[in-house]
């Protein structure tokens, strides 16, 4: 039935129609920029959305700590990485973990690991490639969507508005080391107190035992 079909040949072409044009190459979506905008981006509380600090241009590669639970807190802690599906609003678009809500699946770790802003952007891209969805840093809290990030500061794509500049890890190192030293000294003090209490308890027990024996066997009367 090849009389009714085109067939391949070895005949050279002459004045043949031009070949079919090749389809245009598929252009992958450009990754989100890792340069912070001039306005900066907020770090917020993972539950109530209160602004805690602001990442400014130049902070992109810094491993960041932020004050928590308020902007005026002396304590600084790691910022959690959570991502959102592009074009999906509300908690329906929130992605705090892939596959499992634990240390292995949580995008930013559980508890949160120490990351820079640039690494946070990269982690969202990587997570999106795993679930075949385009992800970016969120513009909301994503409260109650996993990984215990309600109890942590979170990276966002929300422009800054009057929030303080974030504290860097390097500037916190001396305070952190001082805190470790103080904790170690306190631990030694507690150990000494425990030993002292144990020693006193033994003395009291010996005294009580001696008094008990004296009651059982009173000293002979001088008469």
């Amino acid at each position: 039935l090849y009389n009714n079909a085109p067939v391949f040949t070895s005949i050279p072409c002459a004045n043949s129609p031009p070949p079919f044009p090749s389809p245009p190459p598929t252009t992958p979506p450009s990754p989100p920029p890792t340069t912070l905008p001039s306005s900066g981006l907020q770090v917020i509380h993972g539950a109530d959305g209160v602004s805690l600090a602001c990442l400014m241009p130049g902070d992109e590669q810094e491993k960041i700590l932020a004050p928590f639970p308020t902007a005026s807190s002396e304590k600084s802690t790691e910022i959690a990485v959570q991502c959102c599906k592009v074009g999906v609003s509300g908690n329906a678009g929130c992605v705090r973990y892939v596959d499992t809500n634990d240390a292995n699946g949580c995008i930013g770790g559980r508890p949160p690991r120490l990351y820079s802003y640039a690494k946070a952007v990269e982690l969202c891209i990587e997570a999106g490639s795993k679930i075949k969805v385009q992800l970016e840093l969120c513009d909301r809290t994503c409260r109650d969507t996993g990984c215990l990030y309600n109890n942590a500061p979170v990276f966002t794509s929300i422009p800054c508005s009057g929030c303080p500049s974030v504290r860097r890890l390097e500037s916190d190192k001396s305070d952190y080391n001082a805190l470790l030293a103080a904790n170690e000294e306190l631990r030694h003090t507690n150990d000494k107190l425990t030993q002292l209490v144990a020693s006193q308890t033994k003395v009291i027990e010996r005294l009580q035992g001696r008094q008990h024996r004296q009651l059982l066997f009173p000293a002979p009367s001088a008469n």
Side-chain angles (χ1 to χ4, degrees):
L1 298 177
Y2 287 179
N3 289 357
N4 301 318
V7 292
F8 287 101
T9 76
S10 61
I11 305 170
C13 295
N15 299 323
S16 60
F20 292 107
S22 301
T26 303
T27 304
S30 57
T34 53
T35 302
L36 285 157
S38 58
S39 64
L41 294 177
Q42 292 186 43
V43 176
I44 65 172
H45 194 296
D48 58 29
V50 170
S51 182
L52 300 173
C54 188
L55 303 178
M56 299 301 295
D59 288 333
E60 290 88 350
Q61 302 299 328
E62 294 283 348
K63 289 186 175 180
I64 298 294
L65 294 175
F68 190 81
T70 68
S72 59
S73 296
E74 287 300 319
K75 175 189 174 184
S76 293
T77 189
E78 292 82 359
I79 307 170
V81 181
Q82 61 183 21
C83 311
C84 283
K85 299 174 184 177
V86 175
V88 182
S89 61
N91 278 8
C94 294
V95 180
R96 285 182 172 179
Y97 61 89
V98 174
D99 295 332
T100 55
N101 184 5
D102 57 21
N104 293 322
C106 289
I107 295 172
R110 179 174 169 177
R113 290 186 284 269
L114 186 62
Y115 289 122
S116 66
Y117 165 79
K119 184 63 177 179
V121 172
E122 181 182 327
L123 288 172
C124 284
I125 295 172
E126 291 175 357
S129 67
K130 291 178 182 178
I131 61 175
K132 311 300 182 186
V133 173
Q134 188 177 356
L135 296 178
E136 62 186 3
L137 291 178
C138 300
D139 59 358
R140 69 209 79 150
T141 66
C142 290
R143 178 175 180 165
D144 299 333
T145 57
C147 296
L148 303 180
Y149 291 172
N150 287 7
N151 302 315
V154 294
F155 286 101
T156 76
S157 60
I158 305 171
C160 294
S161 176
C163 50
S165 179
V166 77
R167 304 174 188 181
R168 290 186 175 88
L169 175 62
E170 291 299 324
S171 65
D172 279 345
K173 272 186 177 177
S174 59
D175 292 340
Y176 179 68
N177 290 335
L179 179 61
L180 286 180
N183 285 342
E184 186 66 15
E185 183 177 351
L186 180 61
R187 187 180 67 81
H188 284 307
T189 301
N190 286 338
D191 289 344
K192 290 178 180 178
L193 286 174
T194 301
Q195 293 171 2
L196 179 60
V197 169
S199 177
Q200 289 177 335
T201 300
K202 289 179 180 179
V203 171
I204 291 171
E205 288 174 348
R206 285 199 299 269
L207 289 174
Q208 288 175 338
R210 186 176 302 169
Q211 290 173 350
H212 183 65
R213 286 195 299 273
Q214 288 175 348
L215 290 173
L216 291 175
F217 307 102
S221 172
N223 297 326

